[in-house]
Amino acid sequence: MRTLRIAALAAATLCASQAAAAACPPPDRDAAALIALKTADFEMADAAARETMAFALIDCLASPDPAMRDGIAYEGLQRWLRAKVFSPETLRALRTRLFAQLDAPDPDGVARPFAALVLSELARTDRIAPWMRLDEREAMVERAASYLESVRDYRGYDAEVGWRHGVAHGADWAMQLALNPALDRAQLDRLRQAVAIQAVPAAGHAYVFGESERLARPLLFIAKRDLHDEADWSAWFAALSARLGDPALAWKDAGWLARRHDLAAVLQMLYLQVDLGDDPGMAKMKPGLVAALKALP
């Protein structure tokens, strides 16, 4: 019966996603009640009420109000996911709802990035206490990689809207998956491929909100798994450098300059961590990384 109730709740909130912004705050709560919930550190003794609120807060991830979206919806969901208060059935229902949010229209450009950020926390729960089947984990890797590759809204922080940060949130999702020892090399390669797309975006957008640092993190954790040798990393870095594009554009094209900026940032971030560390897997990055830095125009 409990599983049926969770499925019914997920289905109802999925239908409600057509009007997500209008459903935030949820019908039975006002903004003051949600602020009070946050002040109480999101403590809710009634497990059923907490599950209902969790689905309601997913709608709030689409709110144009950053205090509601980031400060309440994301923080509340993160708090409960890290507290391990949800059953695998509820986690699956939340995942379904968040996947739907990734596929839904996003006129303000905030719902998808924040769905991805909560999905990073959901991925973390499976690393801490595994609950996904092999096929579910494979699907999660593909969704994360596809989302990260698909981001074309490069807005980071806005004084009125707050954070969008689609690339950084996608990188966080990839990082949480890369940390999971259950992933195999093919899955890590899929994440690494997605990171490459945004590490040097073809659109020629220069990152200024820490995106390069966030993109470097999954790469470092992939390296720590020590499933790739020096030759593989060297080939990967060479392919990353090739994303700069036509050498004839060097220093006289805005898109090329932006790509160079992003490439240099992620290479330097990686080199700092690799040079300071003593992890054997990360050490295998170093020859290709150094070569890419030396070849940087």
Side-chain angles (χ1 to χ4, degrees), residues 88-268:
E89 292 85 355
T90 300
L91 292 173
R92 287 185 170 93
L94 289 168
R95 180 188 60 197
T96 297
R97 177 67 182 81
L98 289 162
F99 281 174
Q101 188 150 314
L102 286 181
D103 296 331
D106 185 14
D108 293 314
V110 296
R112 288 174 187 155
F114 275 85
L117 189 60
V118 176
L119 280 161
S120 77
E121 291 293 325
L122 198 70
R124 180 184 180 275
T125 67
D126 182 58
R127 172 169 62 86
I128 300 301
W131 56 270
M132 291 190 204
R133 300 186 306 269
L134 291 177
D135 62 307
E136 291 177 303
R137 199 172 291 119
E138 175 70 24
M140 171 74 81
V141 169
E142 183 54 38
R143 287 302 299 253
S146 296
Y147 168 76
L148 183 55
E149 289 175 336
S150 74
V151 174
R152 294 296 180 271
D153 185 343
Y154 291 102
R155 289 175 291 183
Y157 180 77
D158 179 273
E160 293 185 4
V161 179
W163 288 102
R164 289 182 173 91
H165 231 197
V167 168
H169 292 179
D172 291 347
W173 190 3
M175 180 191 73
Q176 289 293 349
L177 287 165
L179 279 163
N180 193 330
L183 264 64
D184 60 26
R185 174 169 167 160
Q187 292 167 330
L188 295 176
D189 285 342
R190 181 69 184 98
L191 295 173
R192 192 172 63 160
Q193 174 188 6
V195 170
I197 296 297
Q198 297 296 1
V200 190
H205 170 82
Y207 294 128
V208 295
F209 293 110
E211 293 90 342
S212 297
E213 178 180 354
R214 302 276 274 276
L215 286 162
R217 291 174 186 171
L219 297 175
L220 291 168
F221 288 114
I222 288 170
K224 279 177 172 285
R225 292 289 306 282
D226 202 8
L227 298 178
H228 301 82
D229 60 21
E230 288 185 8
D232 183 90
W233 278 112
S234 293
W236 189 83
F237 281 115
L240 188 67
S241 297
R243 292 184 59 79
L244 272 180
D246 187 353
L249 298 176
W251 306 108
K252 54 188 177 184
D253 175 79
W256 185 94
L257 288 165
R259 288 191 293 275
R260 185 195 183 279
H261 167 276
D262 295 339
L263 175 60
V266 75
L267 292 177
Q268 290 163 3

Side-chain angles (χ1 to χ4, degrees), residues 273-297:
Q273 296 300 318
V274 170
D275 194 51
L276 290 175
D278 57 1
D279 181 85
M282 287 170 57
K284 292 174 183 175
M285 298 176 96
K286 194 167 185 178
L289 182 53
V290 171
L293 281 165
K294 288 182 176 179
L296 195 65

